[in-house]
Structures are given as C-alpha cells and as structure tokens.
Amino acid sequence: MKKITIIGSGFAGLTAVRTIRKKDKEVEIMLISPKAELVYMPSLIWVPSGAASKKDIVIPLDNFFKRMNVVHIVSEVTGLENKGRSVVTPIGTYENDALIIASGGRFIKKLPGIECAITPCEGLSAAEAIRDRVKAMDGGDIAIGFSGNPKEPSAMRGGPMFEFLFGLDTQLRAEGRRNKFNLTFFTPAPKPGARLGEKAVDGLLSEMKKRNIATHLGHKMKQFTDSKVVTEGGEFAADLILFMPGMTGNTWFDNTDLARSEGGMLKANKFCEVENTDKVFVVGDSGSFPGPEWMPKQAHMADLQAAAAAQNVLDVLDGKAASHTFKIELMCIVDSNNKGMYVSRTLKGGLILPSCRLMHLAKKVFGWWYLHQYK
C-alpha cells in the first residue's frame, strides 16, 4: 500500500488530509507534528478582550485522526534523507512514497531587543500574555506593528496586527480606559496593508485617524527596548510592544537538499512541487510559490494550496503528471472586536466592504463552521 507522509498539523496539513481521504479511502496517511491539535490562529485576536479562550482556539485532533485513519507521529522533524523518501525525527526515521511539507514558517527574530516584544501569532500563550499585560496596565503607551522578509515579499503576516490594533482600541473604549492610553501603529512600509489594495490602505489609515491612533510609517526599525521603539526615523515610547516579524523557512530545512528561495522558503512550482524533487510537495507558509507579491501567507491560501497538492500527490502516485494548480486569492475580514471590514483580492481585481457588525458575526460563524469539521 502506498504511504503519504504529511509534516504539520496546521491548516494546510489538515486540509491535505481531508482532500486525500475524499479521493482515496485506502491510501496510508502518516502525519508528523509535535501535538495532536490545531491552533485556530484567526481567533487569537479576541483573547485580549476575553471574547475567546483556549476552548475556542485549541482543537484536539485525536478524533479527527481516528476518523480519517491517520497515523499520527508525535514529534518534531529534524531533516530529510533519501531525496525526501525518509523523514528524520528525534524518535526515528519514517519512510514514504510521497511527501507533503506543511510545517509552517518561522519568524525572523534578529532585531536587537526583540525579546521585549510579544509576537501575537506565536500562539495562545502570546495572546494570553497580551491580555494579562493590558489588564495590569493603568495606562501608558502601546505600540503595534509588523515587518516583512525583504528577500521574500509574500512572507509577512500584517493582517492580524491591524486586528489587534483596532481590537485593543475597541476594548479600551468599552472598559472606559482609552483616554489613559496612547496607541501607535508602526511599520517600515510607507503604505501599510498595500497588499490588500490601495483602497484598503486608505481605509485602514482613515480608521486609525478616526480612532486617534498615531502612526510611524516608512522607517526601518533599529531596536526595541522595554520602554521604546527605535527606528531610523526617530523613536517613540512603548510600555507594551506587539510586533509581527517577517517569516522565513524552518530550521530543519537546512538538513535537506531541497531547493530554497532567497528568503529561505522551499521553492515550489504552480503545482506545489518542490523544485527538482520527485513526489515532494510544499504548501502554506513553508513554501515560496510563483505569483504576485501580494499573494498572502494566510490560512485561506494555505488551504487552496493544500487541496491542489493533495490531488497532485494522488495523481503522481498513480503514475500521472501533476496538473492541479491553486487559485491565488487574498480573502480576509479585518475585525475590530465588534465590526469587521471584508477585503478580497484576486488576479482579476478586488472587493472591499465597509466595516460593519455583520462582518464581525460572519467571522465568528465561519470559525465555528471551519473547526466543526475537526471535532
């Protein structure tokens, strides 16, 4: 029996499992990840206000793996051997007939003093740390920002930072404490959210102005301290810093012969095949894919890539050529705890719907629906 190995139990890895099982009930699936759980990152934005907690975000996968007849190996991955046919872990080496790499990306943490900042998308503990820090503050300066990987334009995750920014503003107003805090949004980019489109940039900046949020844009960052953010264009006070660095590839990629992009990701073609490999695919944040600079690193894009890769894996195992491609699409709701702005973009154009209560509710409902399939 043919064996497909999947590395990672995030959005992309689990979508690959579901897609394979829809097409083939018999093929053996082995999935390697440190824990049998899915962390639903989009809901982290509601943790600081108490609108979401661990039960809403961390979903156990034991039942899902049993339902899908998946062998789960609880381990990190340390490298590959035998041209990808062998996955090396601290607890053993596992063979495969085809491999899907869905192990996510790694935040670049080279900025001096970055230990003074909280990186929200590192998981639940980071979001809880934000919650606890804000709760303990009587007032002060909060700085929220992001940067990218200059060698990999798509390897950034800025959207959630707008949500933490607007969400904290909404939360502090609801608590009657907003007048005690100064909020500053910062990024080296002169136009924050440019990948969402020009109209989105205007909308985001207009929303910041309306909420009395200061901006510090277009200046390369030099350093963080426990009391300020320092850039080439000046510095400003910060008692709490929330910062999302750009992303690069996993450290275990160094222990492989896989082709890498200049930014450290695995180089893939439009079929999600890693360049110059046989039956090795990559999906989600781990990969560098052909497409426009605005192509996002987000769960929706990872799902689209995983569905295409899973179908291609089954085809190549059946002796056919890979032929399934993925739609390039940015789709998100920029939430602010009580309202949300819908943004979408494709190669043909984009759509923006003004912030409203309905979009906030839609994001909540979508999260419930999405997670239900893994329970």
Side-chain angles (χ1 to χ4, degrees):
M1 184 183 296
K2 297 292 185 181
K3 178 190 289 184
I4 300 170
T5 294
I6 298 170
I7 301 174
S9 58
F11 295 100
L14 300 184
T15 294
V17 168
R18 289 191 295 107
T19 304
I20 290 169
R21 275 292 172 252
K22 283 181 182 178
K23 303 286 184 178
D24 191 319
K25 305 296 185 186
E26 303 300 328
V27 67
E28 185 176 343
I29 301 176
M30 175 180 289
L31 187 145
I32 304 174
S33 69
K35 296 181 180 179
E37 62 183 33
L38 169 65
V39 179
Y40 190 71
M41 296 292 187
S43 291
L44 291 176
I45 58 171
W46 295 313
V47 171
S49 68
S53 61
K54 182 176 181 178
K55 65 179 177 60
D56 308 301
I57 292 169
V58 180
I59 309 302
L61 294 172
D62 301 275
N63 290 337
F64 172 74
F65 287 152
K66 185 176 181 180
R67 237 174 27 245
M68 294 289 112
N69 192 20
V70 170
V71 176
H72 181 229
I73 303 299
V74 182
S75 181
E76 302 276 355
V77 169
T78 56
L80 301 178
E81 295 177 348
N82 191 24
K83 297 182 179 181
R85 295 287 72 83
S86 303
V87 179
V88 182
T89 79
I91 62 173
T93 299
Y94 300 91
E95 308 302 319
N96 68 79
D97 296 299
L99 176 65
I100 298 177
I101 299 170
S103 52
R106 174 170 57 92
F107 291 113
I108 302 171
K109 293 202 165 185
K110 295 181 178 180
L111 189 68
I114 197 167
E115 67 276 3
C116 298
I118 298 175
T119 300
C121 281
E122 284 191 321
L124 178 62
S125 60
E128 290 176 334
I130 297 170
R131 177 198 64 198
D132 296 343
R133 288 280 300 276
V134 172
K135 184 177 180 180
M137 293 174 73
D138 293 325
D141 300 288
I142 301 177
I144 301 177
F146 67 88
S147 66
N149 179 342
K151 297 180 179 180
E152 192 85 33
S154 69
M156 69 165 63
R157 186 167 286 142
M161 301 313 289
F162 296 120
E163 296 184 291
F164 277 103
L165 177 71
F166 297 140
L168 278 174
D169 177 81
T170 299
Q171 175 186 340
L172 292 170
R173 290 178 189 277
E175 294 171 352
R177 302 197 294 150
R178 179 63 175 89
N179 62 319
K180 298 180 180 180
F181 289 83
N182 299 311
L183 300 185
T184 301
F185 176 78
F186 67 98
T187 178
K191 294 184 177 181
R195 59 177 29 197
L196 302 176
E198 287 293 333
K199 289 184 178 179
V201 173
D202 293 340
L204 291 167
L205 291 176
S206 175
E207 187 71 13
M208 290 180 203
K209 185 176 181 180
K210 184 171 69 176
R211 292 172 178 264
N212 195 29
I213 296 171
T215 58
H216 190 86
L217 309 175
H219 302 291
K220 185 177 180 181
M221 285 169 289
K222 294 177 63 177
Q223 181 184 6
F224 293 146
T225 74
D226 58 5
S227 62
K228 62 186 177 181
V229 173
V230 183
T231 78
E232 291 183 350
E235 60 184 55
F236 54 93
D239 301 302
L240 172 61
I241 303 171
L242 312 185
F243 178 65
M244 196 83 79
M247 293 185 292
T248 186
N250 300 158
T251 54
W252 68 264
F253 293 172
D254 295 339
N255 299 323
T256 75
D257 294 324
L258 301 178
R260 306 280 289 276
S261 70
E262 191 178 1
M265 306 295 191
L266 301 182
K267 291 182 70 173
N269 61 21
K270 63 182 181 180
F271 306 116
C272 300
E273 296 172 305
V274 178
E275 288 188 3
N276 304 315
T277 64
D278 179 36
K279 302 182 184 66
V280 178
F281 295 78
V282 63
V283 292
D285 291 350
S286 297
S288 177
F289 304 89
E293 287 192 358
W294 57 260
M295 185 166 58
K297 290 292 186 186
Q298 62 172 193
H300 177 61
M301 193 74 249
D303 282 340
L304 294 173
Q305 291 164 349
Q311 294 178 80
N312 285 328
V313 163
L314 292 174
D315 283 348
V316 297
L317 287 177
D318 201 30
K320 304 172 186 175
S323 61
H324 298 276
T325 59
F326 55 89
K327 182 179 182 181
I328 298 174
E329 181 175 56
L330 184 157
M331 185 182 296
C332 67
I333 293 174
V334 181
D335 190 86
S336 59
N337 275 10
N338 58 5
K339 295 190 294 184
M341 178 178 72
Y342 174 82
V343 181
S344 68
R345 187 174 184 181
T346 68
L347 296 176
K348 296 181 179 180
L351 173 66
I352 297 177
L353 298 179
S355 187
C356 67
R357 175 74 175 171
L358 181 61
M359 286 296 112
H360 169 71
L361 296 175
K363 185 159 187 158
K364 289 272 191 178
V365 171
F366 177 81
W368 174 87
W369 170 83
Y370 190 92
L371 293 177
H372 186 69
Q373 61 196 330
Y374 296 118
K375 295 181 177 180

